[in-house]
Structure formats: structure tokens, C-alpha cells
Amino acid sequence: MIIMRQKFKKTSSTNKRDITNISSEYEVNLSNELESNKKEIYRLLGNSSDLVTREFQLGKIRPINARILFLDGLIDKEFIQNYLLNPLINDLRESKSDEKVLDVQELYQFIKDFTITTAELAEIKNFKGLLEHLLAGDTILLIDGIAKGFAVGARGAKERGVEEPTTQKVVRGPKDSFTETISVNIALIRKRIKDPNLWLESFAYGRKTKTKVTIAYIHGIVNPRIVDEVKARLAKIDIDGILESGYIEELIEDETYTPFPTMFNTERPDAVSAALLEGKVAILVDGTPFVLLVPALFVDFFQASEDYYQRSDISSLIRLLRYIAFFLALLTPSVYIALTTFHQEMIPTTLLVSLAAQREGIPFPAFVEALLMEITFELLREAGIRLPTPIGSAISIVGALVLGQAAVDAGIVSATMVIVVSLTAISSFIFPSYSLAISVRMLRFPFMVMAATFGLFGIFIGLIILTLHLTSLRSFGIPYLSPFAPFIAEDQRDAVFRAPRWAQKKRPRLINQRNTRRENAGQPQPDRKG
Amino acid sequence: MLNAILFWSISSIFFYKEGKRLWKLKAKKDMIIFTIFMCFAVTIITLHLFGVQFPYLIHVLDFITKPISEPLRQWLNSFHHT
Amino acid sequence: MEKIDGKQFTILVIMNTLGASIIFIPSIATGFGKENGWLTVLFSIAFGMLIVSMYSVIIKQQAERDIFCFIEDTFGKWFGVIIIILFNGYLFTNASANLWAIGDFMSLQILMGTPEQAIELIIIGTALIAIRHGIEVIGRTAEVFFPFTMLSTSLLTLLVMEEANWQNIQPVFQLNRLDTFVGTIPIIVITFLELFILLGITHKVNRPKSAQKGLLLGGFISGMLLLVITTACIVVLGLKATTHYTYPIYALGQRISLFNFLERVEILVAFIWFFTIFFKISITFYILSNGMSYLLKLKNHKTLSIPLALLLFLGSAILIPTTFNVFTFIYGPYLVFSVLFTIILPICILLINSVKSKQQKGS
């Protein structure tokens, strides 16, 4: 054990040295000589095979060596040929300025001012900047005799287009969703909110991945304390790689040991825009379509973006249905266990008779029966997600029809139990947010245990503990269970029910404390004179 | 006996958890008082679980307040219809 | 610094008043006042509000101080410490009595066969979780459950009203007048007097004014609820039954029948009572652990919460031999202790402080 620990210590210390060494190597400035620069780049990248370079000459009378470098696959080659190489090689040879011989400095300035016609152009002076640009997909132009270079932005990596969202579907509402490219995602938000106060701040996290993380908020609506809090928590991130927004979520969330999500994730640009308008902060991460929204409250996970596009009475009813579904998904099996084991007198007599008849041949107590079926169902569901699509549907048929029916026929479980499990399963699919559905799936089991030991009393105890836990949670300083606890009367208009648009005059009070007035529209009153 | 073992294991988990928390806080006095109280509680409950009969609290309280409570109860009961 | 608001405090006041009493009051009230039982409750409200206003004066004097700190400031170092120790003893008895009451009720009425101590253990465990989360979380949780409790109470009374026989409360105040008045004593003891305990959390209310208001309003609302429940018991169950049942309100719940389908929903009553008494136990436990840590000058009230929970569990186990002794306890020693700690102590506090403030003005 001791030896292992020592070993571990040693490796960790060498790792540290590694990092510091490389970063000190990065800080070295470019040299005057093109060849040595090239060699250094190759050395730093370990002669990686995707590094492509092309050498050419600038000017006609006294040609100067130059070189472009890029990583294959990350750039738009046609663009480079047309707008970088073409002007550099051809135009420079033919332009009049070549009549008098320019020295290297002048040539450099000339190229910068007149030759390169791309929109994105950055000067680089050391290897650190050079590598950053090169790895991000820029094309590097180096000229012999000068210790500076250009990074030309002509990124053209293959990326997915804007498609329909796969996880949060709507019947009515915009059908675009975020992609894996952060710039596209930002553009999708900008397209919706054309306000100079939509501010973005970008950071790069991950020692190795250098993932771009951007926070977006509307200045003047957002509570600055929340923005500061987000930035402070992000600043503490020190990790080798960030591949998905889930990494960020886990690194900055308020409470780790909770089944409930305290940050909202969505791939819908309209949901993000609506949240920004409420005064929330969006965290976009490059490489994933899932954008994080903070602070996230318990009620947010019951609200689909479609709620706001439907008429208010319809969406209120649907939302109420979701709250009912929450309790159904959480409590149905445990209430079944409690009633059949402890409180038979509460079941109406006729129903009790048929229940008893069904359960007559069942060898297990209700708890084991319920546990068996719930676990079977969880297995089926997980298998359904992971299996290839064509097999997935076959499996669900096997699971739902064959297994369910066969289990009842074989007398292993009662038919009522199958109904209970199906009800639970369907209810847990109703939530617009997958992350809440998972926590409900998990919490069902402790409730079943409580019901098996203490009946309905155990369920009450479980509900109290659950509520105690929920009220103790906070999401970036905002009580998780608001606007229920603490109760905020004004915010009830967009909690269990959704009031009509014109009645929702104020933004959520706790999230946003300064600029609370959302609209001045009154109830529509058509002119009835005519 | 089973009850006692269950109780001991639960209280030792509690003791460990809370002790760790207090240790981290570097609250020496809290730590000592917590240990004393915990030992006291565990001992007395263990005795209870092993069947040692303590005097019922209401009998104790009754004994203390006897001079006042006895006539008071009789007075109140005289108004009580059963 | 965690704070609760006036609304949450009001809810906690209601929960505390209803806590132990809602299940015992009807039989006590009819035991004394017979058909005037509801008048007994009415008089208790009137008298109780007077006492509650006295408490609200103390809140004003308390001026955002901890009640224990306030007691020490009032009575001086040594005498103060003795009073705090005794007061903690009162809190301990109160909490374990409530714990016993709910455990006994559950094991007798709801979960036949489950040992009482298992129920008590799980309740005190939940209360332990609650107080370790702090008063803010307790207040908010009470806020979440309050609507459900109120809904169950109104359902309980509304659904049995078709069986009401208003002959049962007549003649109004013709007979047993003195008994009707005397009956207010035990009722006040287990309802309004116990509100003195809540002075232990008033310094956590964000404005002292709203604490005063909450105490009065909460006391009044819960008094009205008790009145309604008692009246419902008398008119639906009749006098004899109300007096003879240990838990008349539970018998009331058994009368509910909705469309001949939803029957025997007396679990509703258990639901109301369980939630109210749970918050009562949690608050008393919270104040007790605060009081102990004040006494021992500890950094945080959490330190003693675990051993105190174990001791409360033991306290509930060795409190009372059987359910039959509960009224002997309430009418005897508990009454004496209650009066001592929740009437004589506040009066002393008020007197000493008014004398002190006069002296200050004089000098």
C-alpha cells in the first residue's frame, strides 16, 4: 500500500512537471528563420501526420520563402486556395508594388493590409498563440525573416447542421435545435434576441481539450450576483478535459449528493431564449447541443417550451397532469404495496375481493412482486435505449406483451401489479425533462421499501424527508422549491398553472430582482362597437 | 440482543459521521461534549434494551409535583363527567 | 444567518397549536362541558388569545435575542442558568410526550402490530434530519405541507356534515356552566400555553413585528379549527361517543363515506395529525438542542442533536406506562409544569423587565 502510494505520488508530481514544461515551451517566441519555426512546430506536435504544410514564394524579383500550416480536416481547403494562396502567390507577383523591392517588414505589412482578404485574421508572436490557433483549426502563415505570423480563420470541419431536437419535441413551436458547434448555437440565440444587452463571455476550460465555454445573459435583466457566482464557480474548474456540458454541470452544481438536477439542460434555442429573458444565465459548451441554464428551479422541470405556445388553459391542464404524473410515477407501486399489505380496509370491498382472488396464487409478498416487476421494467427500458433501433422495438414488444402476459399467466405476478408498473412507467415518460424523470425512477425504490415496512405512514415519512431535502436545495442561491416554499404569490402564475401571457407581467421574483417588469400589455379587448 | 446490535451499529455510524464533521471543524469542546452525551445516551438506551426498567417519567414528575398536582387533579376530575 | 418569514412562522404556530391537541381536545371539551363542549373551546380561544398577547409583548422585549439569552439577561447569570436548565427539561418532556403520543396512536390505530418504538424511532430520525437542515428548511417544509393539512381538515369536516345532528349541541349554555369554564384550563394547557415554546425561534423571523402578528393570527386560526373540529365531533358522533373515544376525531374520519366508494378514509385524520405533530416535535427538538448548546456554550446546535434524538427516543419509551394514564398526566403534573413555565415564567420576565426599564428611565 505504502509503495503504491509513493508510486502514485511520483507519477502525479511528474505529471505536474510535464504540464509546466510544456507551457514554458509554449511561451517561446517565434524565430526569424522559417525552417527552424517549422521544425519546432513539428517537434511540438510530435510529427503528427495530420499536420499539412505547403511552402511557396512571395514576390517575383526577390522572392521570399513563406509557408502555410494547417491540420487536415479542420479547414476549408477551397477557401484557403481561393482567398489565401491565390492572392499571396499570384496577386503579389503581378501587383505594381512589386516594381520596387520591398523589405520583409514592409511586405509583411502589405500582406496584412492588402493581400489577405479573409475576415478573420490574427497576428501571432509565440508558439503558444500559434498552437492555440492551429489546434483550433486556423491556418498559419509564416514568412521567412520575420518573427511573427498570421493565423487565418478558415475553419471548415465537418459539422452537423441544425436539425430537429431529438429529446424535447413539440407539436407547436420552432423545430430547430442546437448543434455541436458553439458558434452556431450562439447564432441561434442571437437570431432570437436582437438586443445589444445580450452579453456573452467566453472561457476555455480543460487543460487538454481547451473547450470553449460561453456564458450568455441579458445585461440589465439578469441578477449580477448570479453571473458573478457562475463565473466564480467556473473559474475553479481545473480538469484535463470537458467533453460535454454534463462535466461542467457536475463541477459547478450546488449539491452533488442529490437525485434532483439543480441545473437545467436543453437543446432548444427557444427555451434558452425564454430563460435568458427571465433573467437566467445560459452556459454553452462547445461540442454538445445541450446548453445549461441556471438557476434551475423544481418547477422548471415541469415546464415544456410548448406550454407557452399553446393557449393558457390547455397548457395549464397539461401541466397539472404532469404534476399528477410526478406523484403517480413516484408513489403508485408504494401505495399499492401499502394498501395491499397494511390497509386492506381502505380498499372498497368489491375491489378487495378481486384483488385477493388475483393474489391468491402469487408466491411472493406484494413488495417482492412489485420490486421484481419494477426492476424488470427498468431493465427493459435501459435495454431499449442501448439496443440498435430495429432490435429495440422488438425487445420492447417482447418485454411489454410477452413478458407481462406470460408472468401473469404463470402466476408469478398479479395482473394488477402489471397495471401498476405500466402506469408508473408511462407517468415517468411524461416529464419534459429527462433528468427529472431519472430521479423519480430512482426515488421510487426507497419509497417502496418505506411502504413495505411502515405502510402509508412510511410513505408519509418518505414524503417529509423528500420535502426536507428539496427545500434544503438551492440552485445558485435560489431556493429550489420556490415559488412554493418560500411561497411567492406573484410567481404562481407560471408554476402549477400558466396564466395567460398578458397576465404574466412580472419576471420570476427570486431569480431576477431588479428589472422585474416583463410587459405592459393588458388583456386584449376587441372593439365591440361594430 | 438483535435490537441492541442494530442500535449499536446505527449509533456508531452516527458517532463516526458526526465525529468526523466536528473534527474537521476543529471544535474541541463540541467534540468532548458530544462524546460525553453520546456515551451517556448509548449506555442508558442499551440498559433499556436489555430490559432494565427505569422509573416512568410521569411517575417521577408526579412525585415531584405531588403536593400541588394531586389536589388539582381531584378538583378538575370533580368537574369531569365520564 | 437563516431566517423564516412571517407567513412560515404563522404556519408553524398553527401546526404547533394543533399538534398534540387536535386529537385530544374534543373528548376533553365534551368531558367537561358536555353539550357545551364547543363553548368550552370558544372560551379557551378567548382566554388563550389573552395569553398569546402576553407572549407577543415578550417578543417585543426580546428584540431579536435568543429566548435563552433573553432569560439570562433578565434573571442574571446564575439564576438564569437554573431557569434555562429547567426550561430545557420542560422542552424535553414536551417533545418526548408528543413523540409518545404519535407513536402510540400509530401503533394502536394505523399500523396494528408494528412496535411503537420502531415508529417513534423513525419519527425522531426524520425530525433529526429536519433540525440538522435548520429552521429555514423546517419552515419551508411546513409551508409545503400546510395546504394539504388544511385541505384534509376541511374535507374531514365537510364530508361528515350530512350526518350532523344539531340537537347534540343543545341546549346552549343552560347546564353545566361552571364545568364549561373549568374545562378551558386543560384545553389551554395543551394548546395556547405551549406556544411559549415558539418564542425560541422568534429571533429567526425576519421582522419581529411579523412574529408578533404571526403568533396572534396563528393562534386565532388554529383555535377556530379546533372549534370546528370539536363541534363536528359533537354533532356527528354525539356526546357519549365523543367523550368515550380516546381519539374521537379518528372515529369521525371513520364516518366518511363518499359515493359509497371511498370509505374508511380515517387515514386522512392520521395524515393531519401526523404532519402537525411532526412539526411540533421538530420545533421543540430544535429549540431544545439550541437551548442545550446555549447552556454548554457550543458552537453549533447540531453538535448535540444526535444524542438528544436518542435521549428523546428513550424518553418517549419510558414516559408513560399505558394510554390510560395520559389524562392523569395532563390533569396533574403536566398542568403544574405548564403553568410554571408558560405563565409564571413569562409573567416574571415581563415584571422584571418593566421594573428594569423603569429604573433605566429613572436614572
Side-chain angles (χ1 to χ4, degrees):
Chain A
M1 190 63 208
I2 294 167
I3 298 166
M4 263 176 69
R5 197 174 286 166
Q6 276 177 346
K7 249 186 194 168
F8 180 72
K9 260 185 186 166
K10 215 177 250 174
T11 47
S12 67
S13 67
T14 49
N15 264 343
K16 227 174 218 170
R17 205 185 307 137
D18 257 15
I19 293 152
T20 48
N21 272 357
I22 287 177
S23 56
S24 66
E25 247 173 326
Y26 289 158
E27 296 293 342
V28 173
N29 284 341
L30 291 171
S31 88
N32 267 330
E33 286 171 46
L34 182 59
E35 238 3 70
S36 76
N37 278 339
K38 180 202 137 190
K39 270 185 191 152
E40 184 66 11
I41 292 168
Y42 266 88
R43 191 184 72 78
L44 286 174
L45 287 176
N47 291 326
S48 293
S49 51
D50 62 338
L51 180 62
V52 180
T53 180
R54 184 193 187 286
E55 199 176 5
F56 55 90
Q57 292 189 330
L58 298 170
K60 196 154 76 181
I61 302 167
R62 215 182 72 192
I64 296 166
N65 281 339
R67 188 179 274 280
I68 59 165
L69 298 113
F70 58 86
L71 291 176
D72 199 16
L74 292 182
I75 63 144
D76 186 347
K77 276 188 195 161
E78 202 175 328
F79 187 90
I80 291 292
Q81 278 160 21
N82 289 343
Y83 302 106
L84 187 69
L85 288 181
N86 198 27
L88 280 175
I89 297 172
N90 292 337
D91 298 1
L92 217 58
R93 277 171 78 93
E94 287 156 16
S95 64
K96 284 183 181 171
S97 63
D98 207 32
E99 285 167 8
K100 64 172 183 166
V101 176
L102 294 170
D103 74 336
V104 180
Q105 280 298 341
E106 282 168 332
L107 182 72
Y108 179 84
Q109 197 58 37
F110 184 80
I111 287 172
K112 188 180 162 196
D113 291 343
F114 301 106
T115 317
I116 300 178
T117 52
T118 58
E120 273 182 59
L121 184 71
E123 271 187 58
I124 43 179
K125 291 191 170 125
N126 57 15
F127 282 101
K128 190 178 174 217
L130 188 147
L131 284 177
E132 264 171 26
H133 281 283
L134 185 65
L135 293 169
D138 286 346
T139 307
I140 308 294
L141 170 65
L142 294 174
I143 298 164
D144 197 18
I146 195 148
K148 284 191 277 188
F150 295 113
V152 181
R155 296 176 199 181
K158 283 279 168 285
E159 54 196 41
R160 202 164 59 93
V162 175
E163 288 165 10
E164 234 188 290
T166 49
T167 55
Q168 291 153 326
K169 297 201 174 185
V170 291
V171 177
R172 179 174 174 181
K175 307 261 177 177
D176 54 348
S177 79
F178 288 126
T179 70
E180 280 77 13
T181 318
I182 195 166
S183 51
V184 175
N185 297 349
I186 292 171
L188 284 172
I189 300 172
R190 277 266 188 225
K191 257 166 70 185
R192 285 178 166 79
I193 305 174
K194 298 174 192 71
D195 192 279
N197 283 327
L198 171 60
W199 287 6
L200 302 168
E201 287 177 56
S202 290
F203 315 94
Y205 292 112
R207 288 179 194 160
K208 303 287 178 205
T209 57
K210 303 270 188 303
T211 312
K212 190 174 169 192
V213 175
T214 301
I215 63 170
Y217 53 88
I218 299 181
H219 175 71
I221 293 180
V222 76
N223 183 351
R225 272 173 48 207
I226 294 177
V227 179
D228 293 343
E229 182 67 35
V230 172
K231 279 195 233 168
R233 288 191 196 178
L234 281 174
K236 281 185 196 146
I237 292 179
D238 182 14
I239 191 173
D240 59 347
I242 285 172
L243 301 179
E244 217 273 338
S245 49
Y247 284 51
I248 301 271
E249 182 175 349
E250 228 171 282
L251 288 167
I252 67 170
E253 68 191 348
D254 289 65
E255 176 77 51
T256 308
Y257 297 109
T258 169
F260 292 96
T262 51
M263 290 168 88
F264 192 79
N265 65 69
T266 180
E267 51 171 349
R268 298 187 58 86
D270 55 330
V272 171
S273 310
L276 289 176
L277 289 171
E278 279 188 346
K280 294 185 181 173
V281 179
I283 304 172
L284 297 92
V285 180
D286 199 14
T288 174
F290 288 96
V291 172
L292 300 173
L293 290 171
V294 293
L297 307 181
F298 187 63
V299 286
D300 290 340
F301 295 92
F302 287 88
Q303 302 172 350
S305 39
E306 198 175 358
D307 290 359
Y308 300 93
Y309 310 141
Q310 300 266 20
R311 292 207 354 265
S312 70
D313 42 359
I314 296 169
S315 36
S316 295
L317 276 176
I318 292 175
R319 222 178 245 185
L320 195 64
L321 196 69
R322 287 192 201 118
Y323 282 95
I324 295 170
F326 175 77
F327 287 104
L328 282 180
L330 191 66
L331 297 179
T332 322
S334 43
V335 168
Y336 174 80
I337 293 170
L339 286 185
T340 49
T341 337
F342 289 93
H343 313 277
Q344 282 107 344
E345 78 276 1
M346 280 183 68
I347 309 171
T349 325
T350 41
L351 186 61
L352 184 64
V353 170
S354 74
L355 266 183
Q358 279 177 28
R359 284 196 44 81
E360 204 171 0
I362 312 292
F364 308 115
F367 173 65
V368 178
E369 190 191 352
L371 199 66
L372 206 69
M373 280 311 279
E374 288 290 345
I375 290 176
T376 314
F377 174 70
E378 292 298 327
L379 286 176
L380 278 172
R381 166 151 51 186
E382 198 55 27
I385 297 172
R386 304 287 160 231
L387 281 171
T389 327
I391 311 173
S393 57
I395 285 290
S396 51
I397 290 167
V398 169
L401 299 176
V402 183
L403 211 63
Q405 190 59 42
V408 174
D409 286 346
I412 295 172
V413 294
S414 62
T416 326
M417 192 64 236
V418 177
I419 297 173
V420 165
V421 172
S422 332
L423 189 65
T424 326
I426 292 166
S427 308
S428 68
F429 284 125
I430 281 188
F431 306 114
S433 159
Y434 185 64
S435 37
L436 187 72
I438 302 177
S439 53
V440 174
R441 263 164 74 182
M442 267 167 38
L443 286 173
R444 195 152 67 217
F445 293 98
F447 269 97
M448 279 158 65
V449 174
M450 290 299 276
T453 38
F454 290 105
L456 281 178
F457 169 70
I459 296 177
F460 288 157
I461 289 274
L463 282 175
I464 288 187
I465 295 177
L466 184 70
T467 317
L468 283 171
H469 176 70
L470 277 171
T471 42
S472 72
L473 285 181
R474 279 166 179 275
S475 175
F476 286 79
I478 310 294
Y480 192 55
L481 221 51
S482 73
F484 302 132
F487 187 83
I488 298 162
E490 181 70 27
D491 290 356
Q492 296 301 321
R493 294 175 183 200
D494 190 16
V496 179
F497 300 101
R498 181 178 85 74
R501 274 263 136 240
W502 47 263
Q504 292 184 33
K505 290 203 168 53
K506 289 193 174 161
R507 301 196 171 90
R509 203 185 82 190
L510 283 183
I511 293 174
N512 148 295
Q513 284 159 339
R514 292 190 306 170
N515 186 351
T516 54
R517 195 113 186 125
R518 200 202 303 251
E519 61 181 15
N520 279 318
Q523 183 173 5
Q525 282 175 334
D527 194 7
R528 290 192 202 279
K529 275 178 203 160
Chain B
M1 194 61 204
L2 191 73
N3 279 347
I5 291 169
L6 199 70
F7 169 71
W8 285 335
S9 48
I10 291 173
S11 48
S12 56
I13 291 169
F14 272 153
F15 187 79
Y16 172 74
K17 282 254 171 193
E18 183 72 5
K20 212 169 83 177
R21 191 182 73 88
L22 289 173
W23 191 257
K24 268 185 195 160
L25 283 175
K26 294 207 173 74
K28 211 168 191 178
K29 189 181 167 191
D30 286 33
M31 186 85 188
I32 294 164
I33 288 173
F34 168 71
T35 316
I36 294 168
F37 265 78
M38 202 68 194
C39 289
F40 173 67
V42 169
T43 324
I44 201 164
I45 291 176
T46 310
L47 287 177
H48 174 73
L49 287 175
F50 281 137
V52 176
Q53 184 61 50
F54 294 104
Y56 282 106
L57 279 184
I58 62 161
H59 294 162
V60 177
L61 297 177
D62 226 7
F63 181 74
I64 298 170
T65 57
K66 202 149 212 166
I68 318 168
S69 67
E70 200 56 46
L72 194 71
R73 182 186 304 150
Q74 270 159 17
W75 179 74
L76 270 175
N77 274 334
S78 70
F79 292 99
H80 195 269
H81 314 267
T82 40
Chain C
M1 181 71 182
E2 37 170 33
K3 287 276 180 191
I4 55 175
D5 62 17
K7 208 161 39 199
Q8 289 162 350
F9 183 69
T10 313
I11 289 169
L12 287 177
V13 169
I14 295 173
M15 292 280 194
N16 263 269
T17 325
L18 294 183
S21 57
I22 194 166
I23 208 124
F24 294 121
I25 289 281
S27 65
I28 296 178
T30 47
F32 283 93
K34 300 202 85 169
E35 72 278 354
N36 296 331
W38 60 284
L39 279 174
T40 311
V41 179
L42 199 64
F43 294 145
S44 314
I45 298 171
F47 193 40
M49 290 315 284
L50 276 178
I51 293 167
V52 172
S53 1
M54 173 172 83
Y55 296 158
S56 98
V57 176
I58 295 180
I59 295 178
K60 204 173 172 187
Q61 287 187 349
Q62 213 177 321
E64 311 216 6
R65 264 178 295 176
D66 198 324
I67 184 75
F68 302 105
C69 178
F70 183 55
I71 288 174
E72 205 178 288
D73 286 355
T74 312
F75 293 99
K77 183 103 183 147
W78 284 107
F79 202 51
V81 165
I82 292 166
I83 287 177
I84 290 173
I85 292 173
L86 291 174
F87 188 58
N88 279 332
Y90 170 69
L91 289 173
F92 182 83
T93 319
N94 196 315
S96 46
N98 283 320
L99 190 59
W100 168 82
I102 182 76
D104 191 56
F105 172 78
M106 283 288 168
S107 71
L108 284 179
Q109 303 284 347
I110 314 274
L111 295 165
M112 278 77 85
T114 311
E116 195 183 316
Q117 300 197 344
I119 295 168
E120 283 159 2
L121 192 65
I122 196 161
I123 293 174
I124 196 69
T126 316
L128 179 67
I129 296 173
I131 75 152
R132 289 183 73 90
H133 277 309
I135 190 70
E136 205 173 69
V137 168
I138 298 176
R140 284 180 190 163
T141 309
E143 208 172 7
V144 172
F145 283 110
F146 181 67
F148 298 103
T149 317
M150 289 300 109
L151 190 75
S152 315
T153 318
S154 30
L155 269 182
L156 175 71
T157 42
L158 285 178
L159 291 179
V160 293
M161 270 305 149
E162 56 174 355
E163 292 183 46
N165 177 10
W166 295 94
Q167 293 294 322
N168 285 342
I169 55 164
Q170 286 165 1
V172 178
F173 208 45
Q174 302 292 322
L175 308 164
N176 307 315
R177 291 190 189 166
L178 186 62
D179 308 26
T180 310
F181 277 115
V182 171
T184 57
I185 297 174
I187 292 181
I188 287 177
V189 164
I190 62 172
T191 53
F192 296 101
L193 286 190
E194 296 197 349
L195 287 181
F196 182 69
I197 295 171
L198 277 182
L199 261 58
I201 54 166
T202 43
H203 65 290
K204 302 268 185 187
V205 182
N206 50 13
R207 282 190 308 270
K209 263 264 155 53
S210 58
Q212 284 175 288
K213 218 181 90 189
L215 199 65
L216 290 167
L217 187 70
F220 183 72
I221 291 174
S222 45
M224 284 299 148
L225 284 170
L226 286 175
L227 181 64
V228 169
I229 294 275
T230 310
T231 316
C233 278
I234 300 173
V235 294
V236 174
L237 296 174
L239 267 184
K240 271 230 169 83
T242 311
T243 322
H244 278 272
Y245 282 122
T246 322
Y247 308 116
I249 181 174
Y250 193 68
L252 197 66
Q254 287 172 335
R255 292 290 186 93
I256 297 177
S257 167
L258 204 63
F259 313 119
N260 290 322
F261 177 76
L262 201 65
E263 282 172 42
R264 312 261 342 240
V265 283
E266 62 268 22
I267 197 94
L268 211 66
V269 177
F271 178 81
I272 304 171
W273 199 46
F274 173 60
F275 284 138
T276 50
I277 206 160
F278 172 76
F279 287 107
K280 185 165 185 159
I281 293 169
S282 303
I283 290 291
T284 318
F285 184 13
Y286 178 78
I287 296 168
L288 173 65
S289 73
N290 266 319
M292 288 304 283
S293 54
Y294 182 83
L295 205 62
L296 299 165
K297 300 273 177 286
L298 299 181
K299 280 182 182 164
N300 195 324
H301 76 90
K302 280 182 189 174
T303 308
L304 282 178
S305 57
I306 292 172
L308 279 177
L310 293 177
L311 288 174
L312 279 175
F313 165 67
L314 183 75
S316 71
I318 61 164
L319 179 77
I320 222 164
T322 58
T323 320
F324 301 111
N325 301 53
V326 69
F327 288 110
T328 355
F329 177 54
I330 291 175
Y331 296 161
Y334 189 71
L335 207 150
V336 176
F337 272 102
S338 272
V339 170
L340 197 63
F341 285 110
T342 58
I343 294 191
I344 297 177
L345 178 66
I347 288 176
C348 288
I349 291 175
L350 280 177
L351 282 178
I352 291 173
N353 274 310
S354 59
V355 169
K356 267 186 188 170
S357 62
K358 255 183 202 156
Q359 276 177 346
Q360 275 180 356
K361 265 182 198 166
S363 66

